[in-house]
Amino acid sequence: MFYIVQAMPYKRHILVTGGAGFIGSHVVRLFTNKYDDYQIINLDKLTYAGNLANLKDIENKPNYTFVKADICDFETICRLMEEFQVDGIIHLAAESHVDRSIKDPFTFARTNVMGTLSLLQAAKLYWESKKEGYEGKRFYHISTDEVYGALELTHPEGVKSAHSTHPVYGDDFFHESTKYAPHSPYSASKASSDHFVRAFHDTYGMPTLVTNCSNNYGPYQFPEKLIPLFINNIRHRKPLPVYGKGENVRDWLYVEDHARAIDLIFHQGRIADTYNIGGFNEWKNIDLIKVIIKTVDRLLGHPEGYSSDLITYVTDRKGHDMRYAIDSSKLHEELGWEPSLQFEEGIEKTVRWYLDNQEWMDNVTSGDYQKYYEEMYLGR
């Protein structure tokens, strides 16, 4: 473990869990750069998806501290709460890959359920020990739209939407009041953690917030996920595995827009409330893949359609939900948030980033990125 307690007084002391991961690194970067008077403590176990190279640009900032620890280690979390005088937690640490959860559900239950419970109890004990109690404190839990289950694909060809220039594929959307109906071990573990967070508010009065977001995309995403995986596979002329017929629909959100929403909700969201964060940006997997192929081929100087032959249809995933689509109207109406990028602009920026940062991608796919912690923090 490596951490330094800063002597400089700070207005707030924010613990971000999973801050070396994809979404977490964007949140840590945003908060560290935007709030000089906040101490940002990045807690990450550095499993396969955690990469401190994601944060090279801020690692020497005086208000940033990294701690290598497991959220399931209750005694360590309790000690860190006291050491850093934590008054806000933004909880992103989670196992998040559905395929991995199907193969190893125990790991997902441990990290996503017991890890969240460990954080909640540590925060409860520390905050209740202070004279001011819960005043000025916040426990913000980031969840997923997958806890809601699946929506019907009632418009297979897509219809016009009032919210977006892109078509929608059904009449229903996930709302904050949508009943939970998780279908995978991953989504079941996240649903359980959501319930624990709300229970700590209802039972103990802890000031909690929960958000459920749609699929994120953008720089620094671990290449087991669709967009970075396919960009890298196109670059290396490897197959592009498509589940079933590629007709499953997902709502896509640019990761920096998600980080902005987290910032806004952490500071202005109503305690004990839930907010859905989505892009109003539905895409069939096969249509998304075709856009990625077209964009990568163009930026690599290949003729249009050059990489289309890489599409390989494979056996569908077990329990594969057909459609996710979030209605984030509440967040817009109450707090004024909306996505800053249209998908075409966002995917262009994303593809360019991965092609311009091939060393990062090569280090991740080879496993060399895991040496960064030892070199940077352990001096090896």
Side-chain angles (χ1 to χ4, degrees), residues 64-119:
Y64 169 76
T65 302
F66 171 70
V67 177
K68 185 177 187 294
D70 185 347
I71 58 172
C72 295
D73 184 346
F74 178 66
E75 291 184 1
T76 294
I77 300 301
C78 288
R79 187 168 63 251
L80 292 174
M81 294 291 296
E82 184 78 38
E83 293 267 6
F84 288 100
Q85 303 173 48
V86 173
D87 52 44
I89 295 174
I90 301 176
H91 177 34
L92 291 124
E95 295 285 347
S96 65
H97 196 245
V98 174
D99 288 343
R100 287 179 182 265
S101 80
I102 293 171
K103 295 177 181 177
D104 180 17
F106 284 100
T107 295
F108 282 69
R110 178 183 182 275
T111 299
N112 297 353
V113 183
M114 296 306 295
T116 300
L117 182 56
S118 172
L119 286 166

Side-chain angles (χ1 to χ4, degrees), residues 141-356:
H141 175 66
I142 285 80
S143 189
T144 173
D145 57 359
E146 296 192 39
V147 298
Y148 296 125
L151 298 167
E152 291 187 11
L153 189 69
T154 53
H155 304 295
E157 303 306 317
V159 295
K160 290 184 178 179
S161 165
H163 301 289
S164 171
T165 57
H166 199 70
V168 299
Y169 293 90
D171 298 313
D172 296 329
F173 296 84
F174 294 140
H175 300 271
E176 286 81 359
S177 59
T178 299
K179 183 180 178 180
Y180 274 28
H183 293 155
S184 71
Y186 161 60
S187 56
S189 69
K190 290 298 290 184
S192 178
S193 65
D194 295 2
H195 291 319
F196 267 109
V197 172
R198 295 189 177 103
F200 265 65
H201 170 267
D202 295 347
T203 303
Y204 308 112
M206 181 180 287
T208 61
L209 289 157
V210 176
T211 55
N212 301 85
C213 71
S214 60
N215 283 31
N216 280 222
Y217 72 98
Y220 299 109
Q221 188 169 28
F222 193 81
E224 66 181 357
K225 298 300 177 76
L226 189 151
I227 291 178
L229 173 66
F230 279 34
I231 293 171
N232 198 47
N233 282 12
I234 293 169
R235 175 187 160 213
H236 291 290
R237 293 289 299 167
K238 293 181 178 180
L240 306 178
V242 181
Y243 282 129
K245 296 180 181 179
E247 294 180 346
N248 301 76
V249 174
R250 297 295 182 262
D251 177 13
W252 292 90
L253 174 67
Y254 191 64
V255 65
E256 291 182 4
D257 282 335
H258 187 191
R260 287 193 304 105
I262 290 171
D263 177 23
L264 185 64
I265 293 164
F266 179 81
H267 289 95
Q268 298 182 32
R270 290 185 297 179
I271 294 299
D273 214 341
T274 300
Y275 296 88
N276 281 351
I277 310 172
F280 285 116
N281 182 40
E282 294 181 50
W283 285 80
K284 283 187 178 181
N285 285 345
I286 190 62
D287 293 336
L288 170 65
I289 290 162
K290 289 176 180 178
V291 170
I292 295 170
I293 290 171
K294 183 177 180 179
T295 306
V296 175
D297 279 346
R298 173 171 52 81
L299 293 177
L300 289 178
H302 296 157
E304 186 169 343
Y306 175 76
S307 300
S308 296
D309 64 318
L310 298 176
I311 293 176
T312 305
Y313 293 95
V314 299
T315 302
D316 206 355
R317 169 193 286 161
K318 295 178 180 178
H320 199 179
D321 291 338
M322 180 54 69
R323 173 175 171 257
Y324 302 150
I326 273 185
D327 184 344
S328 51
S329 298
K330 174 180 174 179
L331 180 57
H332 173 71
E333 292 167 2
E334 291 191 9
L335 301 181
W337 177 91
E338 60 184 17
S340 66
L341 294 179
Q342 293 294 322
F343 183 74
E344 289 74 12
E345 182 184 357
I347 200 66
E348 177 87 11
K349 287 182 65 174
T350 299
V351 171
R352 283 187 181 276
W353 188 89
Y354 284 104
L355 294 179
D356 291 343

